[in-house]
Amino acid sequence: MSEDSRQIPAERFATRLAACRAAVSEHGFGALLIGVGPDLRYLTGFVGEPMERLTLLVIPRQGPVSFVVPHLEASKAQATPLSAAGAATVVPFEETADAFTLVAGLLAEAGTAAGSTALPIGLSDRLWAMHVLGLQRAASGRRFGSAGPVMRDLRQVKDADEARLLRLAARAADRTVDAIAAGRLVGRTEAEVSREIRGRLIDEGHDMADFAIVGSGPNGASPHHDAGDRRIEAGEPVVLDLGGTLAGYLSDTTRTIWVAGEASIEPGPEFRRVYELVREAQSQATAAVRPGVPAERIDATARELIAAAGYGDLFTHRVGHGIGLEVHEDPYMIAGNTTPLRPGMAFSVEPGIYMPGRWGVRLENVVMCGANGAEVLNQSGLALRLVRG
Ligand code: ZN
Ligand code: ZN
Ligand code: ZN
């Protein structure tokens, strides 16, 4: 398979399902019920949006795995790599049937065969309340819990196919940032630049542009400022935070650039000092990544440096979040998360300093924990860029 292939081979899904089954027993569940969302995509390859009709992968601790779907989606479910490989059986239901009763029947059958009817059923985090309530009604004798911890253990360590797709997405985001920094900004609104970013994210290989934050001047002091009508001026910084989805996997990168304009207005000493502080915090936090280090240590590394320079109160968010099929997922780099890093964990390292009413600086790379340290997936430069146009 070529390095830039977007396909995930069917065997990979069978491997993931086998690991999930082992975890179902380890976590003491009788079965897991996985609704439409990233967990289902991870296990089956099924791509779709949740809707009122129930779509559910039923994974008992023993026995056949059923993919319960509305009749009109049966062929789509059958074509997923997991079903096509014969590792799950598609169970379609008719438009007038009660899908919850159908699922309750499958659970009862599998539970009786495995002697596990007293064990709780794990529900995926993204299952809608209307579905949870329907299942509780139809399987009224059963206890329900969260499948979140099971799926987190599996998904937070990326396999080789996921790592490849995260790299492809990161590079596509890098090319987008580089193109924006090489273009014209003065006099354009944030919204115009944001639209250009979205277009470029697609042109560079994403299937979807998910976000394109453009925070110019004072707007950069709000970390999740979107993009508005403000016109970018010469002599101010702009925070660009952008990402898209490529074959299901997210990119997410931030660069803060200085708009010098044709008048070549240089940044002042305070901006330069803050920029270099954030750059150093980003670099030291990345250097702290290695197997066994608690996730909170990555946050603390950046935070201690920024606090020592007197800007601790202006670094108002955790330093990073896991990334994969979701833009924010486990593991979170935040005080209190003692999860030891493991090879294959992918997450952002994105310290920032926000000067209210003036400007902000944030620099963000996605990194993956390797055997000896971080593999940095984003490769566009971190040195301050001065945009002349
Ligand atoms: Zn964010
Ligand atoms: Zn971001
Ligand atoms: Zn991020």
Side-chain angles (χ1 to χ4, degrees):
M1 174 163 308
S2 77
E3 179 56 19
D4 67 350
S5 169
R6 290 163 178 240
Q7 297 292 321
I8 297 180
E11 314 87 77
R12 180 65 78 186
F13 290 95
T15 306
R16 291 176 185 174
L17 183 66
C20 181
R21 284 264 232 185
V24 171
S25 294
E26 275 165 36
H27 286 253
F29 284 114
L32 291 195
L33 301 180
I34 307 294
V36 177
D39 289 337
L40 186 67
R41 184 165 187 167
Y42 178 80
L43 290 171
T44 67
F46 183 90
V47 181
E49 291 299 318
M51 57 176 178
E52 74 292 353
R53 294 185 179 104
L54 189 66
T55 293
L56 210 56
L57 189 67
V58 182
I59 311 168
R61 57 162 50 202
Q62 288 169 34
V65 172
S66 305
F67 198 176
V68 175
V69 298
H71 198 115
L72 78 169
E73 299 219 320
S75 56
K76 179 177 166 181
Q78 188 58 54
T80 58
L82 189 76
S83 313
T89 305
V90 174
V91 180
F93 60 88
E94 297 304 325
E95 203 74 319
T96 54
D98 181 353
F100 301 119
T101 303
L102 170 64
V103 172
L106 291 169
L107 290 173
E109 210 176 300
T112 306
S116 62
T117 46
L119 295 175
I121 308 293
L123 302 178
S124 62
D125 283 341
R126 295 288 195 92
L127 207 56
W128 283 0
M130 64 183 283
H131 296 143
V132 173
L133 294 169
L135 290 163
Q136 286 178 330
R137 173 181 51 73
S140 56
R142 304 300 297 262
R143 284 182 299 134
F144 293 89
S146 169
V150 175
M151 295 309 300
R152 179 185 63 215
D153 286 357
L154 298 173
R155 284 178 46 202
Q156 68 182 357
V157 175
K158 269 60 186 178
D159 57 43
D161 290 305
E162 298 185 287
R164 176 168 45 80
L165 294 170
L166 283 170
R167 282 186 202 107
L168 281 180
R171 305 281 152 79
D174 291 343
R175 291 191 296 274
T176 302
V177 166
D178 290 347
I180 296 296
R184 269 200 69 82
L185 292 172
V186 176
R188 297 174 69 195
T189 67
E190 293 173 345
E192 284 165 20
V193 175
S194 183
R195 274 198 299 278
E196 182 185 344
I197 290 172
R198 288 175 182 274
R200 287 187 182 274
L201 284 167
I202 303 288
D203 292 346
E204 294 296 349
H206 291 91
D207 304 309
M208 197 163 69
D210 287 79
F211 53 96
I213 295 173
V214 179
S216 66
N219 289 339
S222 170
H224 271 175
H225 171 77
D226 202 356
D229 293 336
R230 188 179 182 280
R231 286 191 190 278
I232 297 169
E233 295 169 22
E236 65 182 20
V238 178
V239 178
L240 304 170
D241 185 350
L242 51 95
T245 310
L246 187 152
Y249 286 81
L250 268 295
S251 63
D252 183 9
T253 189
T254 307
R255 290 294 179 269
T256 303
I257 58 182
W258 182 268
V259 182
E262 281 161 7
S264 285
I265 307 170
E266 298 280 318
E270 188 185 23
F271 179 82
R272 283 199 185 271
R273 189 167 63 246
V274 167
Y275 187 94
E276 286 311 316
L277 181 59
V278 172
R279 181 153 89 122
E280 186 59 23
Q282 207 285 332
S283 148
Q284 289 195 18
T286 302
V289 173
R290 84 186 69 84
V293 171
E296 64 179 0
R297 192 62 226 148
I298 307 309
D299 181 86
T301 303
R303 202 165 300 282
E304 284 162 11
L305 190 80
I306 289 172
Y311 292 96
D313 291 343
L314 303 177
F315 175 16
T316 48
H317 54 75
R318 66 189 175 216
V319 85
H321 52 82
I323 187 166
L325 287 166
E326 292 173 276
V327 68
H328 290 175
E329 60 179 45
D330 286 297
Y332 293 97
M333 304 297 118
I334 187 169
N337 185 4
T338 57
T339 305
L341 297 183
R342 290 167 58 188
M345 284 182 170
F347 48 89
S348 69
V349 178
E350 51 177 309
I353 294 177
Y354 307 95
M355 312 287 270
R358 299 176 64 202
W359 38 259
V361 175
R362 180 167 67 259
L363 295 170
E364 173 180 26
N365 283 337
V366 170
V367 309
M368 189 149 30
C369 183
N372 304 306
E375 176 193 352
V376 181
L377 305 195
N378 292 105
Q379 298 189 340
S380 77
L382 287 164
L384 181 60
R385 277 185 261 198
L386 271 54
V387 180
R388 300 288 167 190

